[in-house]
């Protein structure tokens, strides 16, 4: 007799003690397999434990619908529970306060940087803007900038400080 049919027979007997014993037996027999399947998809033990329970509840609630082999049905239910959990998690991915703060800070920084670059472009030539951006934003050394622009390091330093002075003077004169 198939396992699902054995469980149905026990359920139909109405003997609560036999039903509980049969469910415990099935749970103990297959919980390792279900956990193994769930851990292939999920790395949070709390969620795995929760989905383990949900998987068995689904199996027992649908015991009369099982037409294939019992083990295959449990595997299928477990896999579907894991995949549905991942879909929901992706759909409702919550950010921590720190992640939200970081995201806001990044957006503000990008916005401020864009404003600064626009302002630099109004007051300086392209080469001066590039030297300032390389140094202040990308944290390039004057030597690195000189190599990238094929100039002497001393020339880059001179252009950088002149550009800053020019920018500040234009800003004051505004």
């Amino acid at each position: 007799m198939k396992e699902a049919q054995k469980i149905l027979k026990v359920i139909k007997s109405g003997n609560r003690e036999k039903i509980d014993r049969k469910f415990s037996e099935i749970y103990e027999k297959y919980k390792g397999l279900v956990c193994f399947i769930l851990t292939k998809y999920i790395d949070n033990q709390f969620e795995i434990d929760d989905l383990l329970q949900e998987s068995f509840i689904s199996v027992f609630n649908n015991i009369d619908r099982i037409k294939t082999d019992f083990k295959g049905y449990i595997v299928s239910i477990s896999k579907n529970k894991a995949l549905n959990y991942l879909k929901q998690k992706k759909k409702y991915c919550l950010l921590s306060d720190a992640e939200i703060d970081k995201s806001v800070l990044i957006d503000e920084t990008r916005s401020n940087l864009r404003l600064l670059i626009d302002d630099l472009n109004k007051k300086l030539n392209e080469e001066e803007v590039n030297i300032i951006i390389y140094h202040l934003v990308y944290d390039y050394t004057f030597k690195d900038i000189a190599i990238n622009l094929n100039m002497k390091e001393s020339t880059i330093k001179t252009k950088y400080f002149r550009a800053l002075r020019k920018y500040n003077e234009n800003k004051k004169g505004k």
Side-chain angles (χ1 to χ4, degrees):
M1 189 183 288
K2 292 183 178 180
E3 199 145 21
Q5 292 171 334
K6 289 179 186 175
I7 295 169
L8 275 173
K9 186 177 176 182
V10 171
I11 291 171
K12 287 180 182 176
S13 76
N15 184 330
R16 189 73 194 152
E17 199 174 297
K18 282 185 179 180
I19 293 169
D20 288 346
R21 198 170 38 246
K22 189 64 176 174
F23 282 167
S24 293
E25 176 187 312
I26 296 298
Y27 180 81
E28 290 302 318
K29 182 175 180 179
Y30 292 105
K31 78 176 179 182
L33 174 64
V34 172
C35 282
F36 175 76
I37 292 164
L38 294 172
T39 56
K40 286 178 140 184
Y41 299 94
I42 300 162
D43 61 358
N44 180 315
Q45 189 58 49
F46 175 76
E47 298 299 335
I48 290 170
D49 292 342
D50 207 28
L51 291 171
L52 173 71
Q53 299 302 318
E54 286 183 31
S55 295
F56 278 100
I57 289 169
S58 289
V59 168
F60 293 134
N61 284 340
N62 297 298
I63 199 79
D64 56 331
R65 296 183 189 158
I66 300 174
K67 305 290 185 227
T68 59
D69 88 292
F70 191 75
K71 184 177 178 181
Y73 188 76
I74 287 178
V75 167
S76 180
I77 289 285
S78 304
K79 181 179 176 183
N80 288 335
K81 289 288 180 187
L83 293 174
N84 287 338
Y85 166 80
L86 292 173
K87 282 180 194 173
Q88 285 298 106
K89 184 177 177 184
K90 189 174 185 180
K91 192 174 184 179
Y92 298 106
C93 183
L94 299 176
L95 297 175
S96 69
D97 288 343
E99 290 170 320
I100 291 169
D101 290 345
K102 183 178 178 183
S103 176
V104 168
L105 180 62
I106 289 170
D107 287 344
E108 283 179 19
T109 303
R110 283 185 184 141
S111 178
N112 290 339
L113 183 58
R114 185 77 250 151
L115 291 172
L116 174 64
I117 291 171
D118 289 344
D119 198 37
L120 287 170
N121 280 322
K122 289 176 188 172
K123 296 175 172 105
L124 304 173
N125 66 45
E126 185 179 349
E127 183 181 71
E128 292 167 329
V129 172
N130 287 336
I131 291 171
I132 289 174
I133 297 301
Y134 280 140
H135 189 64
L136 295 179
V137 176
Y138 297 115
D139 203 27
Y140 281 28
T141 64
F142 292 120
K143 183 177 183 176
D144 292 335
I145 298 169
I147 293 168
N148 284 337
L149 297 179
N150 199 21
M151 294 181 187
K152 292 182 180 179
E153 185 177 351
S154 60
T155 305
I156 294 298
K157 285 180 185 178
T158 302
K159 288 182 181 254
Y160 174 79
F161 290 111
R162 281 186 186 160
L164 286 180
R165 195 173 322 113
K166 181 177 167 184
Y167 175 75
N168 287 325
E169 287 171 2
N170 282 333
K171 199 171 182 178
K172 288 178 191 173
K174 193 176 182 181

